[in-house]
Amino acid sequence: MATLTLAGTKRVGALAGAKRVVIKIGSALLVDRDSGDLRVEWLTGLAEDVAALKAAGTDVIVVSSGAIALGRGALSLGTDALALEEAQAAAAVGQIRLARAYEEALAPHDLISAQLLLTLDDSSNRRRYLNTRATFAALLARGVVPIVNENDTIATDEIRYGDNDRLAANVAVMAGADICVLLSDIDGLYTALPDTPGARHLPLVKEITPEIEAMAGDAGSGLSKGGMKTKIMAARTATAAGCAMVITQGAVHRPLAALQDGASATWFTATLTPQQARKAWIGAMKPKGGLRLDAGAVDAMGRGKSLLPAGVTAVDGRFGRGEPVRLEGPDGAALGIGLSRYTSDEAQAIAGHRSSEIAPILGYPGRAALVHRDDMAL
Ligand code: GLU
């Protein structure tokens, strides 16, 4: 594998040292607006950037638009607005090309890519959210680079993210990323429309105030859906979950290396880490039931372990998978809140049993932990 470095000094919000990064790529960067062709050279540079981050030990998730734009080109649909079914057909044709383009760009760096097509439900329905999160974790643990897009072919308005800025922020939250990079056609947020006299570029936004929101115009770039407004909304989602966000110019060759070298950008900082934000989110939930633990389980949890069915002595209340439950010590003392990976009926059945007995008892295989350590606020 080629040795690549992302040069630049470490500074507030710098990519160097990030554990997990989401990179959002807009259609206008990837697809030539006039010809509808893939911008191969740009993508080759991006793959070098991704490889450099991976070599530095950073997990990378790419959220890429471009399915509809590539499909338009392939089907010669022109540049006029498309009817829903035409846009969905274009996405179906374009997505397969998009995925192949990433696979081919990353393979020379010995990187395996994976395709994930999501709809809004995958982050708004808690059970699906937890499943999607687990899939990201499994892929990243194996060094894979997930390539994510909205499932444009089946998503209709009610179940759409609608734009990939919002999708990227939600992916960052689900995957517990610490930085979300929006590669854009502009280098960040300005105090007024960038071509207005006196408009000032903002390098750092510590808090998304109504003033900041008012600064965001509405314009998209023709190929991509998101304007500055959607980016600010994305920043709100990401930063509330402990993920910093940065908007920078994506059109340059190797935009992430440029960012590391100090390219102009707007950083939105987060005050909590993703782990702290997640614990706060879980800790604020209203439990639907409770799990009584034995002393061994309490001890294991204190050492950062997951809660296994074997350590549960009683199940109280009715809850579904992914729902919050009270965790109680042997004497009933409240220890915290966790998200159950099983329903209350399933939990009843497997309580006190070893994880290897789960499948024989339930008649289907399940997850080893009843409450995973990432899903607890103690
Ligand atoms: N998901 C769309 C596509 O791949 C793009 C949405 C957006 O640009 O925000 O074509």
Side-chain angles (χ1 to χ4, degrees), residues 26-204:
S27 304
L29 297 173
L30 207 57
V31 184
D32 185 274
R33 199 176 176 346
D34 298 320
S35 67
D37 291 338
L38 187 75
R39 298 181 60 221
V40 177
E41 215 172 300
W42 183 86
L43 182 57
T44 305
L46 182 90
E48 287 172 22
D49 277 347
V50 170
L53 281 169
K54 294 285 295 173
T58 303
D59 294 333
V60 180
I61 298 171
V62 174
V63 172
S64 182
S65 309
I68 296 175
L70 282 174
R72 257 181 199 280
L75 297 174
S76 308
L77 293 175
T79 51
D80 291 348
L82 299 176
L84 178 65
E85 68 276 11
E86 273 184 317
Q88 294 189 309
V93 170
Q95 182 59 40
I96 200 166
R97 293 170 184 236
L98 187 65
R100 187 174 63 218
Y102 278 100
E103 161 135 90
E104 284 176 356
L106 291 171
H109 300 284
D110 291 332
L111 293 173
I112 298 178
S113 13
Q115 175 183 257
L116 280 89
L117 299 179
L118 304 181
T119 55
L120 189 57
D121 267 359
D122 296 313
S123 58
S124 60
N125 169 306
R126 193 180 306 128
R127 191 174 155 197
R128 287 177 67 158
Y129 165 97
L130 293 171
N131 278 336
T132 310
R133 183 180 163 87
T135 304
F136 273 118
L139 288 167
L140 294 170
R142 282 156 189 79
V144 173
V145 180
I147 311 293
V148 185
N149 197 359
E150 176 146 28
N151 196 346
D152 291 312
T153 298
I154 61 147
T156 54
D157 268 353
E158 321 79 79
I159 58 162
R160 276 188 82 77
Y161 290 98
D163 68 83
N164 278 11
D165 296 325
R166 185 173 177 201
L167 173 62
N170 278 279
V171 165
V173 175
M174 279 193 279
D178 38 9
I179 302 183
C180 178
V181 184
L182 302 185
L183 295 181
S184 175
D185 51 3
I186 187 162
D187 62 349
L189 183 63
Y190 285 75
T191 52
L193 284 178
D195 41 13
T196 349
R200 218 164 28 84
H201 176 261
L202 296 175
L204 180 65

